[in-house]
Amino acid sequence: MENSEFIGSVARRLRTSPEQATAITRATLTTLAERIDGGEARDLSALLPDELRAYAFAPREKAQRFGLDVFVQQVGGRAEVDEATAEAGVRAVFDTLREALPPGDYDDVVTHLPAEFWELTDSAGRYDGRRGG
C-alpha cells in the first residue's frame, strides 16, 4: 500500500482531512513503536510506505509497558487531538494496518500488545488466550 492510500484509508475511516489523518497516523505509529520491542518495530517499519517508516522505528530495544489509556493519551498529545478523536484514530490506523500488512505480520505486532488493545484492534477472537506484555 502506498502512503497516499494508507493516509486516505485512515482519513475515510475518521471522516477527516488527509492532514489530520497524517498527524494521527504518525502519532499512532510512533507510540506503537515505543510499546513493542525494537525488533518487532523494525519489522513493522520495513512493511510500511517509505513516508511512514521512520515513525514506526523503535527508539529503544525494550518496549515501554503502558496500557491502552496511556497509548491513546500519547497519540492525542502528539497529534494534538482530543481523546475521543485519538481513540478513533488509533482504531483507524490499526484497521488500515490490518488491511495493508500480510496477516501473519499484523498478528505478530498485535500479539505484543496487552489484551485490552485487542478489542480496539478487532483481534480478540483470534488470540484465544495469548497475552502480550
Side-chain angles (χ1 to χ4, degrees):
M1 184 178 282
E2 297 294 321
N3 184 64
S4 61
E5 292 174 283
F6 195 102
I7 298 300
S9 174
V10 173
R12 277 189 304 281
R13 286 170 169 29
L14 288 173
R15 296 183 178 105
T16 193
S17 69
E19 293 78 19
Q20 187 173 50
T22 297
I24 290 169
T25 298
R26 290 173 176 174
T28 301
L29 292 174
T30 298
T31 307
L32 178 60
E34 293 170 351
R35 184 59 188 81
I36 60 178
D37 288 333
E40 194 59 47
R42 282 190 296 279
D43 290 348
L44 171 61
S45 178
L47 297 169
L48 293 173
D50 289 342
E51 297 87 345
L52 296 176
R53 286 187 179 157
Y55 297 97
F57 200 81
R60 57 186 66 82
E61 284 304 305
K62 274 304 247 180
Q64 295 179 30
R65 303 292 179 216
F66 51 82
L68 181 58
D69 289 348
V70 172
F71 191 101
V72 169
Q73 289 170 1
Q74 288 185 355
V75 169
R78 286 179 167 136
E80 299 180 357
V81 297
D82 62 53
E83 190 170 327
T85 302
E87 185 172 332
V90 169
R91 185 183 310 274
V93 172
F94 273 93
D95 286 347
T96 301
L97 283 170
R98 188 175 46 253
E99 288 179 0
L101 302 178
D105 292 317
Y106 177 79
D107 292 347
D108 286 347
V109 172
V110 175
T111 59
H112 289 274
L113 300 172
E116 67 181 325
F117 282 79
W118 298 349
E119 182 179 325
L120 183 71
T121 63
D122 194 29
S123 302
R126 292 190 287 179
Y127 293 103
D128 194 27
R130 289 172 61 186
R131 297 287 186 259

